[in-house]
Amino acid sequence: TAKGSDRNNVWVYDVELHEQEILQNYIESHMYQALRDKEFRMFLQPKFDVRTGRIGGAEALVRWFTEEGKMIYPNQFIPLFESNGFCARLDMYMVEQVCRQIRKWTDDGIEPIPISVNQSKLLFYEEDYIENLCGILEKYHIKSELITLEILEGLAVGNMEELNRKIDLLKEKGFRISMDDFGSGYSSFNILGRIHIDELKMDRVFLSAITGEEGKRQEIIMAQVVDLAKRLQISTVAEGVETEQNEALIRRLGCDYGQGFYYSRPVSTVEFDEKYMKIKRGSAANE
Ligand code: C2E
Ligand code: MG
Ligand code: MG
Ligand code: MG
């Protein structure tokens, strides 16, 4: 009966809500301990130069390995950390992991590749953000040219001049600035002309609906975004490249880089080294 299924629905809803609550509570009560005990680990996902097929860099993505042996994905905790302020600390921790990795490659005689790291909007409101950032790089003797800072287009809502002032300071220090998830929200082409970014990452929504009528339309938009970015001398990355067809499309559109499951999922640093940094170690040893 209708009554029975209603009750059933309410029951299901309650369970999900309850589990969600348990997870949120766990996250908020364990985050400090987790940071201290190194439960947050950096995974790396390679990004490839579409023209040459060579690896062009990697993106650092956080994973939480709890003491109970579970892995939690960032979508489960990043939004919460953004609202409780913890994200600023976690992001700086990730910057440190990035620097450690580049230092390790360098010490092992491997030519380092650039790494991108996601930066919460909270950081851009912190007075000593740039100072802290540079402090970490100095500690590991890392060139800022190897670090790309990924920001979300949402940051541009608000004081664009203030944001550009921060971006210019960061660029003066040598960092590259990338705009992440472009096209996922209320993006506007206007932003491209106004924010001083070096790189544009096109959200995977463009590629996710690439078949049928909507696909044709998305393709037209994507072609325009790539063209526009090129003319503004902003390099382009396609996110969510999952299939051979996706790869063929971004190649045809003249996109500079591709990132996605078609090439590789995000992997641990050990796996990343084995898969992508070994050859360089070999050639370095032969010199
Ligand atoms: P993002 O920065 O846009 O990162 C790309 C996300 O897309 C990653 O999810 C990645 O695993 C996923 N992805 C990559 N290729 C494909 C593909 O071909 N298909 C599909 N469906 N997905 C793909 P992940 O690692 O779960 O991270 C989710 C989001 O969490 C990130 O999106 C980023 O916004 C945030 N995040 C991750 N690590 C950090 C961090 O250290 N700090 C901050 N502030 N945010 C982070
Ligand atoms: Mg990103
Ligand atoms: Mg993205
Ligand atoms: Mg994202």
Side-chain angles (χ1 to χ4, degrees), residues 81-144:
F81 288 174
E82 291 233 355
S83 58
N84 69 17
F86 189 70
C87 211
R89 289 185 64 165
L90 180 62
D91 285 352
M92 290 317 263
Y93 178 77
M94 287 297 283
V95 169
E96 180 142 13
Q97 299 314 301
V98 167
C99 290
R100 269 175 181 278
Q101 188 61 55
I102 293 175
R103 168 80 355 237
K104 186 176 173 291
W105 284 331
T106 310
D107 289 348
D108 288 351
I110 301 170
E111 167 102 0
I113 57 170
I115 303 186
S116 300
V117 60
N118 293 286
Q119 300 283 272
S120 150
K121 63 170 179 281
L122 296 173
L123 290 165
F124 282 74
Y125 298 119
E126 284 193 352
E127 201 64 58
D128 43 10
Y129 169 51
I130 298 178
E131 211 180 299
N132 290 341
L133 206 55
C134 293
I136 297 174
L137 269 78
E138 268 162 38
K139 181 174 159 196
Y140 292 93
H141 302 280
I142 303 299
K143 282 199 217 107
S144 51

Side-chain angles (χ1 to χ4, degrees), residues 6 11 17 51 54-55 79 112 118 123-124 131 152-153 160 164-165 173 198 202 204 242 250 255 265:
D6 264 349
W11 184 77
L17 198 68
R51 269 169 299 261
R54 286 208 203 107
I55 189 164
N118 293 286
L123 290 165
F124 282 74
E131 211 180 299
L152 292 167
E153 62 183 354
M160 192 107 60
N164 269 334
R165 205 184 54 82
K173 299 278 183 193
D198 303 289
M202 288 174 285
R204 63 170 182 269
E242 290 185 355
I250 65 165
C255 204
R265 288 179 177 265

Side-chain angles (χ1 to χ4, degrees), residues 30 35 55 69 103 113 157-158 166 182 208 272 274 277:
H30 286 77
L35 188 64
I55 189 164
R103 168 80 355 237
I113 57 170
V157 180
K166 275 258 160 83
F182 184 81
S208 64
F272 190 89
E274 262 169 30
M277 307 302 278

Side-chain angles (χ1 to χ4, degrees), residues 166-219:
K166 275 258 160 83
I167 287 179
D168 288 344
L169 279 171
L170 286 164
K171 286 171 69 154
E172 254 169 53
K173 299 278 183 193
F175 295 97
R176 292 182 76 249
I177 310 293
S178 174
M179 180 173 287
D180 204 357
D181 297 357
F182 184 81
S184 66
Y186 298 96
S187 324
S188 106
F189 282 104
N190 181 32
I191 283 180
L192 295 185
R194 294 189 65 196
I195 300 194
H196 306 166
I197 49 169
D198 303 289
E199 179 187 271
L200 187 71
K201 294 188 86 167
M202 288 174 285
D203 196 83
R204 63 170 182 269
V205 293
F206 286 112
L207 292 177
S208 64
I210 219 64
T211 52
E213 193 52 39
E214 196 195 329
K216 267 187 228 146
R217 299 162 79 96
Q218 290 286 23
E219 186 180 322

